[in-house]
Amino acid sequence: QSALTQPASVSGSPGQSITISCTGTSSDVGGYDYVSWYQHHPGKAPTLLIFDVNKWPSGVSNRFSGSKSGNTASLTVSGLQAEDEADYYCSSYTGRRTMIFGGGTKLTVL
Amino acid sequence: QVQLQESGPGLVKPSETLSLTCTVSGDSISNYYWSWVRQPPGKGLEWLGYFYFSGSTNYNPSLKSRVTLSVDTSKNQFSLKLSSVTAADTALYYCAKEIPGRTSFDLWGRGTLVTVSS
């Protein structure tokens, strides 16, 4: 069971938008609408940004949005802010009550 | 407000069993599904397994033979045991609360670092 594929790093300037991709297979991302995205500042607990591909947990900014096409899910961060600089992880249900994470993407705000 | 706190030894010898506990405060452990996730130094997140108080569990297939999850409802705690550890098991270990039926974690502990070394 290999990790979902994410770009190692992305960057953008304040106010811009960036998109992080998360590529899996038809057995995970493509097979279920149970993709989640997490923000992780090193040294802190990860926080849930998106679940069920494009739903927001209570309290999460709508600057973060999720989508999916085929075996690839995406997270878009709009109106980049300095505090958005962090590691981002996707995850997907893989059937039979198991799940898998992506390898993580480091977002740098220039 | 639900809070999670991981605890356990920070150093484990190779071939021994790693044991960690997650204490849940602010709600009953019986109300949710719970998981363990780890992050080796410089690497990404890895899901280890989930647990429900009824005894329902499932594990990451790559670790299934070495992982055991259990619960102590009287203490509102759930535990992780990982046997036959090696240096590859050195990681920051998190416990996390699942949104029911979603395999999405809406609450995480701060994590506890476990180093495997002789």
Side-chain angles (χ1 to χ4, degrees), chain A residues 32-37 48-57 66-68 91 93, chain B residues 99-104:
Chain A
Y32 307 95
D33 287 333
Y34 291 137
V35 176
S36 302
W37 289 91
L48 179 65
L49 297 174
I50 296 287
F51 69 100
D52 290 2
V53 177
N54 55 14
K55 297 179 182 176
W56 290 284
S67 63
K68 190 184 84 166
S91 72
Y93 183 65
Chain B
I99 297 177
R102 291 297 191 270
T103 61
S104 295

Side-chain angles (χ1 to χ4, degrees), chain A residues 7-85:
Chain A
S9 62
V10 297
S11 62
S13 300
Q16 289 185 332
S17 295
I18 61 93
T19 297
I20 299 171
S21 61
C22 170
T23 301
T25 69
S26 58
S27 297
D28 38 64
V29 174
Y32 307 95
D33 287 333
Y34 291 137
V35 176
S36 302
W37 289 91
Y38 300 88
Q39 180 187 63
H40 188 200
H41 289 102
K44 296 189 176 182
T47 56
L48 179 65
L49 297 174
I50 296 287
F51 69 100
D52 290 2
V53 177
N54 55 14
K55 297 179 182 176
W56 290 284
S58 175
V60 171
S61 169
N62 59 10
R63 294 190 301 107
F64 299 95
S65 60
S67 63
K68 190 184 84 166
S69 178
N71 296 337
T72 298
S74 298
L75 173 73
T76 296
V77 185
S78 305
L80 269 179
Q81 300 177 0
E83 57 263 36
D84 297 333
E85 185 160 297

Side-chain angles (χ1 to χ4, degrees), chain A residues 36 38 40 52 89 96-97, chain B residues 39 58 98 102 104-105:
Chain A
S36 302
Y38 300 88
H40 188 200
D52 290 2
Y89 293 91
R96 286 178 283 184
R97 216 44 181 85
Chain B
Q39 182 179 32
N58 207 1
E98 185 178 309
R102 291 297 191 270
S104 295
F105 307 121

Side-chain angles (χ1 to χ4, degrees), chain B residues 22-43:
Chain B
C22 181
T23 301
V24 179
S25 58
D27 204 341
S28 170
I29 198 169
S30 306
N31 290 340
Y32 302 100
Y33 284 79
W34 308 93
S35 277
W36 287 94
V37 177
R38 70 181 181 180
Q39 182 179 32
K43 296 188 179 181

Side-chain angles (χ1 to χ4, degrees), chain B residues 5 9 11 28 42 75 79 83 93 95:
Chain B
Q5 178 67 60
L11 181 64
S28 170
K75 295 181 179 179
S79 298
S83 63
Y93 285 78
C95 56

